[in-house]
Amino acid sequence: QVQLVESGGGVVQAGGSLRLSCAASGRTFSSYHMGWFRQAPGKEREAVAAISLTGTSTDIADSVKGRFAISRDNAKNTVILQMNSLKPEDTAVYFCAAGLTWGLTTPPGRVAYWGQGTQVTISS
């Protein structure tokens, strides 16, 4: 199994930046596609970014394209979500996710492993 732990969340003013980190346990990290979902209060969990096994391909949701970037370091078993130009509508709990298949079209129910989530709050 894979255990995922997110960190880096917090409170930041609109226009600011945050860097979320997801640390994975074990040596199987490189066997999974990775991604980030977010869930705002009263809303469904939605995919915001995905990255392939080796990090060769990335997919960013239209709502955050140009502002967010995803990367992974398989040697360190980490995946990063760099968030720039943050907006109040980005406020949500952000979850790291791992799956055998991956992409922005992957629904939350098809994710194999979830992190506990980290709160990101953007003030206006």
Side-chain angles (χ1 to χ4, degrees):
Q1 296 186 349
V2 175
Q3 291 182 319
L4 306 173
V5 180
E6 304 96 334
S7 63
V11 181
V12 66
Q13 292 184 350
S17 298
L18 282 174
R19 182 176 181 268
L20 304 185
S21 179
C22 174
S25 66
R27 299 179 180 178
T28 61
F29 177 74
S30 62
S31 297
Y32 294 90
H33 303 276
M34 301 296 297
W36 290 90
F37 286 72
R38 68 184 182 185
Q39 187 168 20
K43 297 184 178 180
E44 297 296 319
R45 194 168 297 186
E46 62 174 345
V48 295
I51 189 166
S52 61
L53 296 174
T54 62
T56 302
S57 300
T58 61
D59 199 3
I60 308 297
D62 288 341
S63 60
V64 300
K65 190 170 295 182
R67 300 187 297 116
F68 290 13
I70 187 171
S71 61
R72 68 189 296 167
D73 186 339
N74 288 350
K76 297 181 178 180
N77 288 357
T78 59
V79 60
I80 302 297
L81 184 68
Q82 179 65 49
M83 306 186 295
N84 300 321
S85 301
L86 286 162
K87 304 175 181 179
E89 52 262 43
D90 295 320
T91 295
V93 177
Y94 283 72
F95 298 89
C96 182
L100 298 178
T101 60
W102 199 246
L104 293 179
T105 59
T106 300
R110 303 299 295 176
V111 171
Y113 300 101
W114 291 101
Q116 294 294 323
T118 185
Q119 177 70 48
V120 171
T121 301
I122 313 302
S123 63
S124 59

